[in-house]
Amino acid sequence: MITTDYVQTMARYNAWQNRGLRKVVEVMDEAELTRDRGAFFKSIFGTVNHLLWADRMWMSRFSSDVSAPEGGIKGSTELTPTISVWGAERFRMDGRIRIWAETLRNVDLRNNLTWHSSAIGREVTRPMALCVVHMFNHQTHHRGQVHAMLTAAGVRTEDTDLFVMPEEL
């Protein structure tokens, strides 16, 4: 399904996109960040917190050196108390994802992953490759929501096209 080259590319893309988000959200007014904009996780801040929470959850399943976040999906929007704390935690998690991607082997992607999903209330077993693709797809999905909310707020964001990602990242 996928190779480690794909995983490394998507880890780079994730870090690049989150770097761009940090640049704009860390200078925004708190009221604008926390304003309910009608998205599933309501606000820009709630959505970026949920995304960090989900990345930590998936990485805790993929790597024994990442701890699962506290609480469930409902509390995921309050993972960090401020946008500054979020930015620092986001930077660390993006680095951790890149290190994991660089040490992943193709054979690891052929295994199954089993975990208890609180979201559906049962144990789940799925191919590791599918779970990895899901994590990156989930990131892109929610960053798209954030991008739309930022655009509606009049904030200009950086390019999001994968093919224009700088090579030196």
Side-chain angles (χ1 to χ4, degrees), residues 53-64:
W53 178 91
D55 284 353
R56 283 180 54 188
M57 184 60 74
W58 280 107
M59 286 303 298
S60 74
R61 295 168 181 154
F62 299 156
S63 179
S64 62

Side-chain angles (χ1 to χ4, degrees), residues 7-63:
V7 176
Q8 291 167 14
T9 298
M10 293 310 292
R12 284 180 50 237
Y13 178 72
N14 171 65
W16 174 54
Q17 288 300 296
N18 287 330
R19 186 174 324 141
L21 278 181
R22 283 195 324 269
K23 285 180 190 175
V24 297
V25 300
E26 288 181 338
V27 297
M28 287 179 69
D29 179 73
E30 183 178 348
E32 284 296 303
L33 286 170
T34 58
R35 188 173 127 210
D36 187 337
R37 297 179 183 277
F40 189 81
F41 293 105
K42 301 189 189 296
S43 68
I44 294 166
F45 189 46
T47 305
V48 297
N49 256 332
H50 167 73
L51 186 48
L52 176 60
W53 178 91
D55 284 353
R56 283 180 54 188
M57 184 60 74
W58 280 107
M59 286 303 298
S60 74
R61 295 168 181 154
F62 299 156
S63 179

Side-chain angles (χ1 to χ4, degrees), residues 82-96:
T82 67
I83 202 67
S84 296
V85 173
W86 171 83
E89 291 297 317
R90 180 74 265 174
F91 178 79
R92 280 193 278 281
M93 179 51 58
D94 292 344
R96 184 62 200 100

Side-chain angles (χ1 to χ4, degrees), residues 84-163:
S84 296
V85 173
W86 171 83
E89 291 297 317
R90 180 74 265 174
F91 178 79
R92 280 193 278 281
M93 179 51 58
D94 292 344
R96 184 62 200 100
I97 291 170
R98 289 200 57 188
I99 291 168
W100 165 77
E102 290 166 5
T103 59
L104 191 67
R105 300 168 305 155
N106 281 319
V107 68
D108 298 327
L109 294 166
R110 292 186 182 95
N111 295 325
N112 281 330
L113 180 67
T114 300
W115 73 97
H116 177 80
S117 170
S118 295
I120 60 174
R122 64 180 169 86
E123 188 173 275
V124 179
T125 299
R126 295 289 184 270
M128 177 72 160
L130 180 71
C131 295
V132 172
V133 169
H134 170 76
M135 180 183 76
F136 291 123
N137 186 64
H138 183 260
Q139 293 168 346
T140 301
H141 166 71
H142 285 302
R143 272 195 308 265
Q145 291 176 324
V146 171
H147 186 272
M149 289 186 278
L150 289 168
T151 301
V155 176
R156 177 135 169 83
T157 60
E158 294 181 2
D159 201 333
T160 61
D161 292 325
L162 181 60
F163 73 91

